[in-house]
Amino acid sequence: AQSVTQPDIHITVSEGASLELRCNYSYGATPYLFWYVQSPGQGLQLLLKYFSGDTLVQGIKGFEAEFKRSQSSFNLRKPSVHWSDAAEYFCAVGARNNNDMRFGAGTRLTVKP
Amino acid sequence: GAVVSQHPSWVICKSGTSVKIECRSLDFQATTMFWYRQFPKQSLMLMATSNEGSKATYEQGVEKDKFLINHASLTLSTLTVTSAHPEDSSFYICSASPLPAAETQYFGPGTRLLVL
């Protein structure tokens, strides 16, 4: 069964600094990978997803993620963080035409002024 | 497009009562709907998957008699927490997919349930 690990529970960055959120997955076949953002008391919004093709994926709000099969990773990056990016970020792994999607425990991002 | 709504957004109820939460896909037909539970500062836990007109498929450890799921139409699914207890207090999130697959799901805003 697939699983996802987000090693960092909480990260604090200064506004304007770069950001990288780590995600490692375990899955026997080619995974579908996702990053979601959740603001307090809200549902999840999809930032980006990887199914196949180019391993560098561009998403909304200036985020990107890179799929590295050799490292079983799908880290999320943003070159310059804005205060509005403060939220909880979830990495998820799934499979094609499969209802079983697993979420990581989440990384809470705090942005300092 | 691809908007999913939930109602109510929050609910407080007494222990022993039942609570119904609605999940609607507003601008697409949802072949499949998913119900998740999220504990404070934790990840989402999939409770069940439902396809329109079929019985829901529950994840291991989720009591089907406790959490009744109905997917009566292609735009509406309901989760009823029966005989609610304080330990049922949680944030419940639904999602809907136009396909029978999780990779195309769109999430609702969630419903916060507090059982007193």
Side-chain angles (χ1 to χ4, degrees), chain A residues 32 34 36 38 41-44 49 51 90 95-106 108, chain B residues 32 34 36 38 41-44 46 49 51 59 91 93 100-103 105 107-110 112:
Chain A
Y32 284 5
F34 308 80
Y36 291 90
Q38 183 182 36
Q42 301 296 314
L44 275 67
K49 60 187 176 185
F51 287 178
F90 292 96
R96 184 182 181 199
N97 293 331
N98 187 311
N99 289 334
D100 192 8
M101 180 182 284
R102 302 289 169 170
F103 289 81
R108 183 162 61 93
Chain B
T32 306
F34 305 86
Y36 295 86
Q38 185 180 29
K41 301 187 186 300
Q42 294 189 32
S43 186
L44 281 74
L46 179 65
T49 303
N51 294 296
E59 293 298 301
F91 194 51
I93 302 175
E103 67 260 29
Q105 63 185 315
F107 287 85
R112 187 161 302 283

Side-chain angles (χ1 to χ4, degrees), chain A residues 6-11 20-22 35 87-91 104-109:
Chain A
Q6 292 180 246
D8 304 304
I9 297 174
H10 183 205
I11 283 183
E20 182 169 32
L21 302 182
R22 296 184 291 166
W35 274 101
E88 189 87 19
Y89 291 80
F90 292 96
C91 181
T107 297
R108 183 162 61 93
L109 173 65

Side-chain angles (χ1 to χ4, degrees), chain B residues 1-101:
Chain B
V3 178
V4 177
S5 70
Q6 279 184 244
H7 178 80
S9 56
W10 60 271
V11 57
I12 302 174
C13 70
K14 292 182 179 180
S15 185
T17 61
S18 294
V19 176
K20 180 184 285 188
I21 301 170
E22 291 186 349
C23 177
R24 293 182 185 272
S25 57
L26 299 185
D27 50 5
F28 67 97
Q29 293 187 324
T31 301
T32 306
M33 286 186 167
F34 305 86
W35 286 95
Y36 295 86
R37 184 172 180 176
Q38 185 180 29
F39 292 98
K41 301 187 186 300
Q42 294 189 32
S43 186
L44 281 74
M45 180 191 76
L46 179 65
M47 298 174 66
T49 303
S50 73
N51 294 296
E52 185 265 340
S54 303
K55 288 185 178 180
T57 301
Y58 290 81
E59 293 298 301
Q60 190 173 8
V62 178
E63 300 174 59
K64 61 180 66 177
D65 295 330
K66 173 82 172 165
F67 299 99
L68 300 179
I69 291 172
N70 184 289
H71 191 163
S73 76
L74 283 172
T75 58
L76 173 65
S77 176
T78 59
L79 167 67
T80 301
V81 183
T82 62
S83 187
H85 288 95
E87 57 265 31
D88 299 324
S89 299
S90 194
F91 194 51
Y92 292 89
I93 302 175
C94 77
S95 69
S97 173
L99 302 173

